[in-house]
Amino acid sequence: MNSLLRRTFSYLFPYRWQFLISLCQVFLISAFELLKPWPFKIVLDFVLEDKPLPWEMVAGLSGVLLLAACCLATVLIYAVSAILNLWNSYTTISFGQKMVNDLRGELYNHLQRLSLKFHNHWPVGDLVYRITADTFAIQTLCTNGLLPIVSTLVLIVAMFVILLRLDVLLTLIALGICPVLFFLLSFLNHKISSAALRSRQAESAIYSFVQQGMSSIRGIQAFTKEEEEYQKFIRASQGSLNANLRFYLIQSFYGGITNVVIGVWGAVLLWIAAHHVMAGTLTIGGLIVFISYLAYLLASIHQLSHTWGLVEGAMVGVQRVFDLLNRESDLQDGTRVLSAETARGIIAWKNVSFEYLPEFPVLKNINLVVQPGEKIAIVGSTGTGKSTLVNLLARFYDPQLGQITINGRDIREFTIKSLRDQISMVLQPPLVFPTTIRENIAYGRSHSTPDEVMAAAKVAHIHDFICQLPDGYETLIGEQGSTLSEGQKQRLTIARAILRDTPILILDEPTSAMDTETEALVMDGLEQLMAGKTTFIIAHRLSTIQRTDQIVVMQFGQVVEQGTFNELMAQPGVFSTLYQMPLREHQYH
């Protein structure tokens, strides 16, 4: 608890002056709240009962003037109080939102640096909920929790001081309600926290369900699963609503008990206060002040109970955010900077083994050496580890055994950013973003000029298509590239790689979604791109494979053959056997 609060308040520290201003505003607001019943006391005691005024400077005022002064004072007190409350709301919301922005930015930045291993196993919807909803909890905790608690405590202390001067016995009896309410709060505290946690977990599950459904909409419609998915969503939504209902019921239950206790306590105090007035130890005006303060006091204590429920829920949300921030990436960043010159060195896999799940190896004792500027085709059936092999080079994952070196140095010695800055990738499926075509092509090199973007598009043979669009290079691409064909998306990512122009190039089936004519054109462009670059091509089509310097054949997570096209065809083996299968003139599977 203490560590959580300390960490939370560290986000408040940059805005400490705004917070101090808010505290001053709270004290002023409390002072004006304390002033509100006094004009009524003066009217009752010194106007209606015509008692002599105890203050010499206004002793000569007539009853009418005093009444007018009290009415004017009431208007001023309420007006100033309203202005202070408005000012305080602006101040607290302002720095509260800045705290949310800081926490949200830190969380988003942290999540981007966690490895693919983390992202492959964590529901996207839950991450979205934690970024968009749980981060607001820090504002709730500070502005809707801390400040109201401070404000209420200040009012309670000030009212007790004034009430003691009016009637000591009544004040002590009023004080007796605090231990009772504290006991009730302690009793329900754990239940409120547990209910808040379950509520947030259920809500994040809804986010995950919706994200999965929307990203899989094509499959849902293809298999006519709309009704089934709808029923699943309704069940998940009902579970979330039930969790929220339980949380609010526990809060309401505590609020209801608090109301009953306050009502009983207030009735007792009113009974005693009335007898004090009849006994002459308390004036009517004093009774009005006492009842006003008592009502505000009891309302403040009740508000504290409600605020505490908000605080408990907010602390759960903040803890969920900190849980992610505490999660360290399994990829430890290096300290060396990989230069373009070093990246042109020899790349080697030395006794590399890797598994996504324990005891299910994907790569087994891989040994592979690639000379600078070589074009390497990696072939093999689906699931043999081709993409994993190159993903390890980009350090999306680290191998459990062995090492990958560039120019003799383990790639784990380099910073991840500098390593990936020297690698361009054309992935499968093509990765496009819901921005403009120009921004998509320039994504890996955002400072590129329009002419450079256009030149890259021409090499990738997509420039003519772009020019036919109404907005040309400024045309917006739909979510997941929905407004483009697979071939167009693929050529777009090739243009991006061309523009990025790095020493190491990874092409994952770069022409798989293209017809033969387009493939021939794009391959001519890729030949220009690959010139002088160490290139890894995961390919099925023989037209792509035959253009490479070496072919690496993988089977069951191992390199089983390696050599040039002619060398592999001259010997009986996996490659030559598969090449002689039907449809060999089209592709290699």
Side-chain angles (χ1 to χ4, degrees):
M1 172 74 77
N2 291 334
S3 61
L4 175 65
L5 291 177
R6 281 198 301 271
R7 188 170 181 180
T8 301
F9 293 148
S10 69
Y11 291 89
L12 179 60
F13 185 76
Y15 310 106
R16 56 192 179 279
W17 296 115
Q18 292 97 315
F19 179 73
L20 289 174
I21 290 173
S22 294
L23 282 180
C24 293
Q25 293 166 345
V26 165
F27 295 146
L28 286 172
I29 291 169
S30 299
F32 276 88
E33 289 295 332
L34 293 172
L35 286 175
K36 283 181 179 179
W38 284 94
F40 296 97
K41 172 178 168 50
I42 293 171
V43 170
L44 287 171
D45 288 347
F46 304 115
V47 176
L48 299 181
E49 293 193 8
D50 202 24
K51 291 181 180 180
L53 289 166
W55 309 293
E56 292 184 6
M57 59 187 306
V58 292
L61 284 179
S62 65
V64 174
L65 286 176
L66 186 58
L67 176 60
C70 288
C71 291
L72 179 60
T74 299
V75 172
L76 289 174
I77 290 170
Y78 276 84
V80 173
S81 180
I83 293 171
L84 286 173
N85 274 291
L86 181 62
W87 184 24
N88 180 249
S89 295
Y90 173 79
T91 305
T92 54
I93 291 173
S94 177
F95 77 76
Q97 288 183 336
K98 291 175 182 176
M99 290 174 64
V100 171
N101 194 53
D102 291 346
L103 181 60
R104 183 179 285 174
E106 182 180 351
L107 178 59
Y108 186 76
N109 187 45
H110 180 70
L111 289 175
Q112 288 189 107
R113 283 161 173 72
L114 292 179
S115 69
L116 290 185
K117 181 179 179 181
F118 166 83
H119 287 286
N120 287 342
H121 292 88
W122 203 285
V124 174
D126 179 70
L127 298 180
V128 172
Y129 186 83
R130 294 191 194 217
I131 293 171
T132 57
D134 282 336
T135 49
F136 269 108
I138 198 168
Q139 179 178 2
T140 301
L141 195 59
C142 292
T143 62
N144 297 339
L146 178 62
L147 284 174
I149 288 174
V150 170
S151 172
T152 303
L153 290 176
V154 168
L155 273 173
I156 288 174
V157 171
M159 279 191 250
F160 269 123
V161 171
I162 297 173
L163 290 176
L164 280 171
R165 296 174 63 86
L166 291 174
D167 197 302
V168 175
L169 178 60
L170 283 176
T171 304
L172 293 177
I173 293 173
L175 187 63
I177 194 175
C178 294
V180 176
L181 295 179
F182 179 77
F183 171 77
L184 289 173
L185 182 60
S186 301
F187 177 73
L188 290 173
N189 185 39
H190 177 71
K191 293 183 180 297
I192 292 174
S193 296
S194 298
L197 177 60
R198 285 192 292 271
S199 173
R200 288 184 178 270
Q201 288 173 336
E203 279 294 299
S204 65
I206 286 289
Y207 272 63
S208 296
F209 188 92
V210 171
Q211 185 273 330
Q212 291 169 7
M214 294 300 100
S215 62
S216 306
I217 191 66
R218 182 180 298 180
I220 291 172
Q221 292 180 350
F223 291 95
T224 63
K225 290 289 185 180
E226 293 91 342
E227 182 61 28
E228 184 176 325
E229 291 296 318
Y230 166 73
Q231 293 300 331
K232 288 180 182 178
F233 174 79
I234 289 298
R235 287 193 294 271
S237 178
Q238 190 60 54
S240 172
L241 294 175
N242 289 341
N244 283 329
L245 179 61
R246 175 177 171 78
F247 175 52
Y248 293 131
L249 280 177
I250 292 175
Q251 280 189 308
S252 300
F253 177 72
Y254 175 64
I257 292 178
T258 303
N259 272 335
V260 172
V261 172
I262 287 174
V264 172
W265 222 272
V268 171
L269 287 170
L270 186 59
W271 173 271
I272 297 172
H275 280 78
H276 283 199
V277 171
M278 289 185 288
T281 58
L282 186 67
T283 66
I284 295 293
L287 177 63
I288 292 298
V289 170
F290 191 91
I291 291 175
S292 297
Y293 280 9
L294 179 63
Y296 199 89
L297 174 66
L298 297 179
S300 297
I301 292 174
H302 179 261
Q303 180 61 34
L304 267 183
S305 68
H306 175 69
T307 300
W308 189 253
L310 288 177
V311 167
E312 285 294 326
M315 289 177 69
V316 168
V318 171
Q319 184 62 61
R320 278 165 50 86
V321 174
F322 289 163
D323 285 344
L324 282 183
L325 288 174
N326 291 338
R327 187 174 290 270
E328 295 183 3
S329 175
D330 54 302
L331 300 177
Q332 297 303 312
D333 209 0
T335 56
R336 294 179 178 273
V337 175
L338 178 63
S339 65
E341 291 74 19
T342 304
R344 292 189 177 93
I346 297 172
I347 301 174
W349 283 255
K350 300 179 180 179
N351 303 312
V352 170
S353 295
F354 176 78
E355 55 189 26
Y356 292 104
L357 298 173
E359 301 182 5
F360 290 94
V362 177
L363 298 178
K364 308 170 190 175
N365 198 36
I366 298 291
N367 285 281
L368 177 64
V369 177
V370 179
Q371 298 298 323
E374 274 194 324
K375 295 189 285 292
I376 306 297
I378 305 172
V379 299
S381 58
T382 301
T384 56
K386 304 186 299 296
S387 295
T388 301
L389 187 71
V390 293
N391 282 340
L392 293 180
L393 175 59
R395 283 203 73 193
F396 292 134
Y397 309 90
D398 278 341
Q400 281 81 23
L401 296 173
Q403 62 177 185
I404 303 171
T405 62
I406 296 179
N407 207 26
R409 289 196 175 276
D410 192 319
I411 61 173
R412 285 172 285 204
E413 296 181 21
F414 302 114
T415 64
I416 293 174
K417 184 180 186 306
S418 69
L419 171 66
R420 293 175 184 167
D421 278 345
Q422 304 305 328
I423 301 173
S424 295
M425 304 185 76
V426 176
L427 302 173
Q428 187 61 240
L431 179 62
V432 295
F433 304 93
T435 59
T436 66
I437 288 178
R438 179 185 58 79
E439 290 170 332
N440 263 277
I441 296 175
Y443 190 79
R445 193 164 168 255
S446 54
H447 60 277
S448 303
T449 65
D451 288 342
E452 289 172 330
V453 171
M454 188 180 300
K458 288 179 179 178
V459 175
H461 291 276
I462 196 173
H463 172 73
D464 291 342
F465 163 74
I466 296 172
C467 291
Q468 294 172 9
L469 299 173
D471 297 319
Y473 282 83
E474 299 306 316
T475 301
L476 287 171
I477 297 175
E479 193 73 30
Q480 298 180 352
S482 58
T483 55
L484 301 177
S485 70
E486 289 301 310
Q488 290 161 352
K489 286 189 285 186
Q490 209 154 20
R491 279 181 280 166
L492 201 64
T493 59
I494 290 172
R496 183 188 302 150
I498 291 169
L499 184 63
R500 187 166 166 82
D501 191 24
T502 57
I504 301 173
L505 182 62
I506 296 174
L507 306 175
D508 193 345
E509 301 186 40
T511 59
S512 61
M514 299 179 191
D515 56 61
T516 304
E517 183 180 354
T518 304
E519 179 194 10
L521 292 171
V522 170
M523 284 309 300
D524 288 338
L526 287 177
E527 286 293 338
Q528 300 177 43
L529 169 63
M530 292 186 289
K533 296 179 173 60
T534 304
T535 306
F536 300 88
I537 306 174
I538 299 172
H540 285 164
R541 293 191 176 186
L542 284 173
S543 55
T544 306
I545 296 169
Q546 288 174 316
R547 296 173 183 243
T548 60
D549 299 312
Q550 277 196 80
I551 299 171
V552 174
V553 184
M554 297 190 66
Q555 192 173 51
F556 307 118
Q558 296 176 303
V559 175
V560 294
E561 292 177 0
Q562 184 176 348
T564 65
F565 179 80
N566 291 332
E567 288 172 345
L568 293 178
M569 287 301 300
Q571 63 186 32
V574 176
F575 183 82
S576 61
T577 300
L578 290 173
Y579 174 70
Q580 294 165 9
M581 293 172 63
L583 302 179
R584 60 184 180 274
E585 67 275 12
H586 295 292
Q587 59 186 2
Y588 169 90
H589 288 288

